[in-house]
Amino acid sequence: MTLRWRLTLFYTALLAALLVAVGITTLYQMRSSLLTTLDSELLDTYARFANTSTSISLSACDTSSAEDTALSDASLTARYQFPNSNLQVEQLLFYTHQELIDALGGANRAATLATLRRVEDFSRRSLGFDCAFPVKLSDEQLTALIRSSGGRLYLNYPRRDSFNAQPVMVRLLVVLAPVRQPTSALPGDEESVLSVVYVGRPVEDLDITLRQLRSVIILLFLAGLVIAGTGAFLLAGQALQPLRLVQRAAERIGGQTLAQRVPVPPTGDEVQSLALALNGMLGRLEASFEAQRRFTSDASHELRTPVTAISGHASYLLRRTSPTGQQQESLNIIRSESERLTNLIASLLQLARSDSGALVMQKAPILSTPFLSELARELGLLAQAQQTTIKVMGQDVAFEGDLDRLKQVIINLVSNALKAGATTITLQSQAVLDGAQVRLTVRDNGPGIPKDQLERLFDRFYRLEDSRSRDQGGAGLGLSIARGIVDAHEGRIWLESTVGEGTAAHVQLPVGNMPDLDDEDVP
C-alpha cells in the first residue's frame, strides 16, 4: 500500500473515530437532556395534582370489574386538566411514612409488604392507566421508594393495557407523600393521606426524536467520511507530488547518468532536504565512479605498452635464438600469459568505455536466423574439437542492433557453454511481447549452475568455484561485458539454469523501427 493511501486511511479512520465519539456523546447528552426535561414535566404534573387533588376525581379500580374502563364525568374533567399524563394513586391507609420505614426494617418485612399490596389494590384510582394492568412496583422498588429521603423514584416502566399486546415504555415518577383528599361533600372537609402517586408519560416522542437525531448523525458521519477521505487523498497526493518527482528523477539515474540531479522542490520541508541530500550523494558517487573509471582506463592504457613489449621479446627469442627445451617452454608460457594479459586489458578498456557511456553502437538491421547461423559456422571448428554440436532454430526476426557487439555477446555465451563441457548447444531466436522485442537464447546441456550464483556471474571477476574456465584462462569479465553491450542496446540479459540439466542464457532486445527488409538489405 502506498504512503498516499496509508495517510488517507489513517486520517479517515481518525476522523471516523472522532465522529463516532461525537455522535455517541451527542446522543447521550441529548437523551439525558430530554429525560431531564421529561422528569421536570412529570414533577410539575405531580405538583399540580397535589395542589388540586381535592377537586380531581380519578376512576376507582375495582378488580372484580376491571374490564369496565368507562370514564365518569369527573374523570373527563381530570383528563382535561392532565391531557398528556397518566395518573395512578394508591392510598396507604392507617400508615405513616416513619411507620413504614420501621416496619420494613423489622422482622415482619414480608408481612408488611403483603399488607401494602392489599391496601394498594383496594384503594387504587387511575387516570389513563388500564386497571386490568395497573402499575406495580417490585418489592425492591417499593422498599427503595419508602426508604428514599425525598420519597421519589424515576423509572422506565413497560406499561400494558387491554388494547395492545406489546408493552409501551413510559417514564414514570413515583412519589410517596401525603395527598389531601375530601372526606365528605362539604367544602373544606378534607384530610391528608399517605399515598403512592404514579405520574407517567410515554417516551415514544423522546424515542422518535432520538431516532431522527441518530439518522442525521449517521448521514453526517457517512458524508463526513466521504468528504474527509476524498480531501485527505487529494491533499496527500498534493503533498507527496514533490516526492514523486524526486522518485522519478532518481529512477532515471544510473551508472551512466550520474551527472543528472533530482529536482529540488522549493517546499522548505523534509522533501527539499531529502532532494538536497540525494543530490549531494549523487555528486559524491559521480566523483567516485569517475575516479574509478579514470583509474581503470589509465591503468589499462599504461599496461598495454609493457605487455606488448614482453610478448614481442618472447616471440623474438623463440624465432631468432635457439633456446633449450626448458627455456623454450618458459618463453611460450611468457608469451601465452602476455596474450592473456592483453585480452584482459582490452576487456577492462571496454568496460571503462561502457561505464563512461563511450561505448558507441553502430546499429543496423539484422535478421536473427542468418545472424545465429553465421555464428554457428564460425564456432563450428572449435565445437567439433570438443565433440560439441551447435544447432540453430526458432523464428526469423528482423531487429536493429550493432552486429559486431552482438556477435561478441553470443560468442561469449557459447564459449562459456563450451568451457562448462556441454555436448549440445542450441541457438534460438523468437519474437516476444507481440513482436516488439526479440529474444536470442543460448541453451546447453552442461552441468548447470546453482540458482544462488546466477546473478552473481554478471559481477566483474566473479567465477564459479568449480568453473572449468579457471583452467582455461577465463578472467570473469565476459558476462559483465555482455551485460554492458546489452544495456547499451536498451535490452536485458539473464540466465536460467537447473543443476544437472543445463543452462539457458537469454538476450532480449527491442526490435526498433524496422522497415520491410529483403535479404540483401541485411549486412
Side-chain angles (χ1 to χ4, degrees), residues 122-141:
F122 172 77
S123 63
R124 183 176 295 120
R125 291 175 297 153
S126 174
L127 173 65
F129 287 113
D130 192 341
C131 288
F133 300 94
V135 178
K136 290 187 177 182
L137 300 181
S138 65
D139 290 347
E140 291 77 10
Q141 291 171 341

Side-chain angles (χ1 to χ4, degrees), residues 385-401:
Q386 298 188 21
Q387 298 181 348
T388 301
T389 303
I390 300 179
K391 299 184 297 184
V392 178
M393 58 185 299
Q395 299 173 264
D396 193 8
V397 183
F399 65 99
E400 233 182 359

Side-chain angles (χ1 to χ4, degrees), residues 3-13 228-230 232-234 236:
L3 178 60
R4 183 179 188 181
W5 276 109
R6 289 203 300 270
L7 288 174
T8 301
L9 291 178
F10 173 77
Y11 287 114
T12 304
T230 304
F233 184 79
L234 296 176

Side-chain angles (χ1 to χ4, degrees), residues 1-308:
M1 186 180 293
T2 62
L3 178 60
R4 183 179 188 181
W5 276 109
R6 289 203 300 270
L7 288 174
T8 301
L9 291 178
F10 173 77
Y11 287 114
T12 304
L14 181 61
L15 179 63
L18 291 176
L19 289 178
V20 169
V22 170
I24 293 175
T25 303
T26 301
L27 286 174
Y28 176 78
Q29 293 291 342
M30 180 60 70
R31 180 178 177 82
S32 299
S33 177
L34 292 175
L35 283 177
T36 301
T37 302
L38 183 56
D39 292 344
S40 177
E41 293 176 356
L42 293 175
L43 188 59
D44 290 342
T45 301
Y46 167 75
R48 288 192 291 114
F49 169 76
N51 292 331
T52 59
S53 60
T54 56
S55 60
I56 295 176
S57 177
L58 303 182
S59 298
C61 290
D62 185 357
T63 56
S64 63
S65 58
E67 66 278 2
D68 185 7
T69 57
L71 293 176
S72 64
D73 292 340
S75 297
L76 289 174
T77 303
R79 171 54 68 195
Y80 176 77
Q81 293 182 4
F82 302 99
N84 298 320
S85 300
N86 300 326
L87 296 172
Q88 180 176 304
V89 179
E90 298 168 349
Q91 295 179 347
L92 303 183
L93 302 172
F94 316 117
Y95 284 102
T96 65
H97 195 175
Q98 187 60 45
E99 289 175 347
L100 289 176
I101 294 176
D102 295 339
L104 292 177
N108 297 323
R109 179 176 179 274
T112 302
L113 290 174
T115 302
L116 287 177
R117 297 299 185 193
R118 289 192 295 271
V119 172
E120 288 174 344
D121 292 340
F122 172 77
S123 63
R124 183 176 295 120
R125 291 175 297 153
S126 174
L127 173 65
F129 287 113
D130 192 341
C131 288
F133 300 94
V135 178
K136 290 187 177 182
L137 300 181
S138 65
D139 290 347
E140 291 77 10
Q141 291 171 341
L142 183 57
T143 302
L145 174 66
I146 294 173
R147 290 178 174 174
S148 63
S149 59
R152 296 176 189 172
L153 283 181
Y154 288 97
L155 303 172
N156 289 327
Y157 187 84
R159 186 197 72 183
R160 296 186 60 189
D161 54 36
S162 302
F163 304 100
N164 296 314
Q166 296 296 330
V168 177
M169 191 64 65
V170 297
R171 185 67 173 175
L172 200 63
L173 168 63
V174 188
V175 181
L176 177 63
V179 176
R180 291 179 301 163
Q181 296 293 331
T183 56
S184 67
L186 296 176
D189 193 1
E190 59 187 37
E191 64 177 347
S192 295
V193 179
L194 183 64
S195 304
V196 179
V197 180
Y198 301 87
V199 183
R201 182 173 295 182
V203 296
E204 182 179 2
D205 293 340
L206 183 146
D207 291 336
I208 292 175
T209 301
L210 291 177
R211 283 198 297 270
Q212 292 175 346
L213 179 61
R214 184 166 59 247
S215 299
V216 171
I217 290 176
I218 291 175
L219 288 176
L220 292 176
F221 173 79
L222 296 177
L225 283 188
V226 172
I227 295 173
T230 304
F233 184 79
L234 296 176
L235 289 176
Q238 184 177 1
L240 294 174
Q241 181 65 24
L243 195 58
R244 283 197 294 271
L245 295 176
V246 172
Q247 174 197 354
R248 295 192 189 102
E251 288 174 348
R252 291 193 297 268
I253 297 174
Q256 298 179 4
T257 57
L258 288 174
Q260 297 184 14
R261 295 293 182 267
V262 299
V264 179
T267 55
D269 54 14
E270 290 81 357
V271 178
Q272 183 178 8
S273 300
L274 175 62
L276 292 173
L278 285 175
N279 286 335
M281 180 187 68
L282 289 173
R284 294 189 295 272
L285 286 175
E286 182 185 14
S288 176
F289 273 81
E290 185 61 30
Q292 179 185 356
R293 284 196 293 263
R294 283 199 305 269
F295 171 78
T296 303
S297 179
D298 294 345
S300 300
H301 277 291
E302 294 299 325
L303 287 173
R304 293 181 68 178
T305 300
V307 170
T308 302

Side-chain angles (χ1 to χ4, degrees), residues 360-413:
V360 181
M361 296 289 107
Q362 302 292 333
K363 293 186 178 181
I366 302 174
L367 288 176
S368 61
T369 300
F371 169 65
L372 296 179
S373 298
E374 181 181 353
L375 287 174
R377 285 193 300 270
E378 293 181 3
L379 298 170
L381 293 178
L382 181 61
Q384 288 177 5
Q386 298 188 21
Q387 298 181 348
T388 301
T389 303
I390 300 179
K391 299 184 297 184
V392 178
M393 58 185 299
Q395 299 173 264
D396 193 8
V397 183
F399 65 99
E400 233 182 359
D402 189 313
L403 183 64
D404 293 332
R405 300 290 187 185
L406 292 178
K407 275 187 177 182
Q408 185 178 357
V409 172
I410 303 301
I411 288 174
N412 179 274
L413 298 176

